[in-house]
Amino acid sequence: MNVRRLIGRLFPLFFLGGLFLYAVWPWLPFVRPAATPTIVFYGFSILGEAMDQGVLPAFQKKWSDEGHGRIAFRTSFGGSGTITNQIALGAPAQLALLSLESDADRLADAHVVPAGSWRKLPHAGVVNRTPFVILVRPGNPLQIRDFADLTRPGVKIVHPDPLTSGGANWAILAEYGAGVRESKGDPAAGEALLAGVWRNVTGQAASARAARTQFDNGFGDALVTYEQEAAYDKPRGRLKADIVYPKRTILSEHTLVVVDRNVRPVERAAVDALVQYLWSDEAQRIFVKYGFRSVREELNAGHPEFGKVEDPFLISDFGGWRRAKKEIVDAVWKQRVMHIAPPSKP
């Protein structure tokens, strides 16, 4: 009887103690689960499928198979200029794969990353490549064969916006460079070809992906864009256009930056591992599968979806992006071409 009475008196204490233990259990240091590293990855617009469906899941599996446990990702994709502005304003990106190195320079100028830090990475920070091509309507009814054909009266061109899109800046260099190389080095010929193309631009979009959507919806006769999307979509029956490979065009190169100030200690090992993984055989082959050209030419062999460019050229032929942005995009396109050849109205 005394035992029952004692139990009755102690029961409320056991009950309250149990409730307290239940409440504080998740915060006890010996039972708290390890935090799951979360990598925040930003990329230019056409990277979405390759990263979200290909590269990141493959890295996730590799990380787990090596005994490191779980890892999570948060991704955001948009025009390269747009995501660069977001990161400069404080977006929490830890890694950013930018369409062009001049956006990396802008992050360095804003003191977000150390100047030139990306050049210490493999291939000077270039993760993958793709040439610039022209998409035309099925059957190529206007018989467009090169950038010069885009200057003909009546051709309506869809083009990404150079103020927000890295792809648009590459396209300007492709158009200008084609004229320079055709004329054996005459800058006036490059400017004339660029101006002729832009007289026929009837629609612009914030990113290369948005411009492609505009074109797919029936707007315009031609679209200047990356080969990547077309090369990936054509064998899958998703391309509502023909691909035209200009005789001379630029091979775009896409730059990775690491935003160290946004990397917490719990994520450091995973971030560093992902950075190195992007240049691994496995990751480079995944990029090829999704229509990007590998930085290692031997991995591009045997892929008929990659068309032949007779005279490809690189940004290094113009002295790099910092110089090309100042001397061609700003001085030629922005200050002269856009004054004499503003995009026409649809």
Side-chain angles (χ1 to χ4, degrees):
M1 191 69 172
N2 290 336
V3 174
R4 290 183 180 178
R5 195 172 293 162
L6 180 61
I7 293 174
R9 289 176 180 175
L10 293 177
F11 179 78
L13 296 176
F14 288 135
F15 180 75
L16 291 174
L19 285 179
F20 175 77
L21 186 61
Y22 176 80
V24 302
W25 184 267
W27 285 270
L28 294 176
F30 55 84
V31 295
R32 187 182 303 173
T36 300
T38 300
I39 298 177
V40 182
F41 185 98
Y42 277 43
F44 65 102
S45 64
I46 65 170
L47 272 173
E49 285 182 319
M51 296 305 299
D52 283 343
Q53 298 177 20
V55 174
L56 295 181
F59 176 76
Q60 199 168 37
K61 181 179 185 304
K62 180 177 184 293
W63 183 259
S64 177
D65 289 347
E66 291 175 351
H68 300 297
R70 296 181 65 250
I71 189 169
F73 299 98
R74 287 167 51 201
T75 60
S76 180
F77 301 96
S80 191
T82 299
I83 64 170
T84 299
N85 292 338
Q86 291 171 346
I87 295 168
L89 290 172
Q94 297 162 333
L95 297 174
L97 186 47
L98 306 169
S99 174
L100 56 160
E101 190 182 23
S102 65
D103 285 335
D105 285 327
R106 288 206 294 129
L107 291 178
D109 292 344
H111 307 293
V112 175
V113 299
S117 56
W118 54 90
R119 297 191 194 105
K120 299 176 183 177
L121 299 172
H123 292 269
V126 175
V127 173
N128 52 34
R129 299 180 173 122
T130 190
F132 264 70
V133 300
I134 305 166
L135 297 190
V136 298
R137 296 301 171 192
N140 196 2
L142 298 184
Q143 295 299 296
I144 293 168
R145 305 296 180 196
D146 213 336
F147 286 125
D149 296 320
L150 298 181
T151 69
R152 298 198 312 248
V155 177
K156 297 181 177 63
I157 302 168
V158 178
H159 205 288
D161 185 353
L163 299 180
T164 55
S165 167
N169 283 260
W170 282 114
I172 287 173
L173 265 292
E175 296 149 8
Y176 175 89
V180 170
R181 293 174 81 88
E182 176 71 28
S183 64
K184 308 302 182 187
D186 181 8
E191 183 171 337
L193 179 56
L194 184 64
V197 170
W198 277 85
R199 284 191 187 95
N200 288 336
V201 172
T202 58
Q204 296 184 69
S207 68
R209 174 62 60 88
R212 167 74 186 280
T213 299
Q214 201 174 56
F215 183 73
D216 283 349
N217 286 338
F219 191 74
D221 303 310
L223 168 69
V224 181
T225 191
Y226 299 98
E227 175 199 49
Q228 180 271 331
E229 283 198 298
Y232 181 67
D233 285 348
K234 185 175 181 179
R236 290 162 179 80
R238 301 192 322 201
L239 185 64
K240 307 172 185 176
D242 288 352
I243 309 173
V244 172
Y245 283 87
K247 185 176 182 180
R248 299 172 177 84
T249 192
I250 200 162
L251 194 64
S252 69
E253 300 173 300
H254 316 126
T255 301
L256 183 77
V257 294
V258 182
V259 188
D260 285 314
R261 72 182 189 184
N262 291 336
V263 181
R264 301 182 302 167
V266 70
E267 292 136 2
R268 171 54 64 187
V271 168
D272 289 347
L274 177 56
V275 168
Q276 295 304 314
Y277 176 75
L278 292 176
W279 284 278
S280 68
D281 283 358
E282 183 176 59
Q284 288 291 306
R285 286 192 174 100
I286 292 171
F287 282 125
V288 169
K289 174 185 174 183
Y290 280 85
F292 288 98
R293 299 196 187 198
S294 171
V295 291
R296 298 195 355 241
E297 195 57 43
E298 68 272 16
L299 298 182
N300 298 321
H303 290 274
E305 65 271 24
F306 294 151
K308 179 175 174 53
V309 177
E310 182 175 323
D311 180 24
F313 50 92
L314 301 171
I315 188 62
S316 58
D317 295 318
F318 300 98
W321 259 114
R322 192 175 282 276
R323 179 178 172 185
K325 183 76 166 60
K326 178 182 178 181
E327 296 181 359
I328 300 172
V329 177
D330 291 342
V332 177
W333 176 79
K334 188 181 291 185
Q335 295 179 21
R336 296 204 293 272
V337 168
M338 289 305 292
H339 289 289
I340 64 174
S344 58
K345 301 296 183 183

